């Protein structure tokens, strides 16, 4: 095999957000496409891939072996989170395709004060993760990508923020998608269909949530106000 494994749009988007690094971690790596692609394209000198499930990790091992990669190049570990290991300053960490509570628990297991590049893709309960990251003085650079008919929000963490408590709307919708955010304004101007797809998804989520908790009525209405018109 000569060409590195092709990445689906979600993983390619994540790769495009991170810079080349010495050591790359993919926590919950599934079949290992991202880490193996990172190594083969020279985007890292070593990839460490972990997964709590044996079956996808076995597929990742087969893929690494097909490219002739050994454990000094791509290390595969069966275990939860960092599997007892510790990232070093300068490492890049990706945690994608998990719920916010699980991602938060994994982040709490390491020293977030050290210099790490961290990229996250939570699948649900994003409020929980946004509140936690704000409490750790991180800013979130959010961006959107569509993959196989679904729209995903990707979090790249930015240092230099202040410890803060998010409002209900900021936690539920995301500071990036509020009307006064330059990110929202940029998507509104250049990618309104993608923004519409994301906010439509949030509207469906919070239409249900407000039935259980009336506090989300205003959040739901704010999402509708943010929705750009869909021009066919």
């Amino acid at each position: 095999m000569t060409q590195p494994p092709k990445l689906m749009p979600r993983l390619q988007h994540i790769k495009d957000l991170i810079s080349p690094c010495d050591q790359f971690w993919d926590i919950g790596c599934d079949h290992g496409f991202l880490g193996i692609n990172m190594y083969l394209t020279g985007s890292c000198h070593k990839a460490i891939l972990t997964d709590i499930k044996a079956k996808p990790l076995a597929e990742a091992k087969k893929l690494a072996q097909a490219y002739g990669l050994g454990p000094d190049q791509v290390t595969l570990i069966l275990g939860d989170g960092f599997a007892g290991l510790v990232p070093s300053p300068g490492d890049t960490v990706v945690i994608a395709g998990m719920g916010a509570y699980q991602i938060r628990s994994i982040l709490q297991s390491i020293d977030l004060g050290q210099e790490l590049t961290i990229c996250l893709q939570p699948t649900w309960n994003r409020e929980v993760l946004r509140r936690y990251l704000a409490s750790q003085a991180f800013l979130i650079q959010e961006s959107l990508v569509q993959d196989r008919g679904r729209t995903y929000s990707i979090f790249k963490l930015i240092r230099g923020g202040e410890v803060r408590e998010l409002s209900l709307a900021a936690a539920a919708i995301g500071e990036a998608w509020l009307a006064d955010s330059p990110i929202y304004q940029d998507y509104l101007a250049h990618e309104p269909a993608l923004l519409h797809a994301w906010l439509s998804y949030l509207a469906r989520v919070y239409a249900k949530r407000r039935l259980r908790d009336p506090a989300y009525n205003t959040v739901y209405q704010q999402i509708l106000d943010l929705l750009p018109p869909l021009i066919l």
Side-chain angles (χ1 to χ4, degrees), residues 26 28-31 49-54 56-57 77-81:
D26 188 355
C29 66
D30 196 45
H31 290 189
L49 314 183
T50 78
D51 204 288
I52 200 169
K53 297 178 180 177
L57 200 68
I77 303 172
L78 180 64
D80 188 15

Side-chain angles (χ1 to χ4, degrees), residues 3-20:
Q3 296 296 318
K6 182 176 176 59
L7 300 179
M8 63 182 74
R10 176 177 64 96
L11 295 181
Q12 184 62 54
H13 185 85
I14 291 172
K15 183 183 177 185
D16 291 343
L17 289 174
I18 56 182
S19 302

Side-chain angles (χ1 to χ4, degrees), residues 80 100-110 132:
D80 188 15
Y101 284 103
Q102 191 173 8
I103 293 176
R104 183 182 67 177
S105 178
I106 293 170
L107 292 177
Q108 287 172 333
S109 73
I110 62 172
Y132 171 69

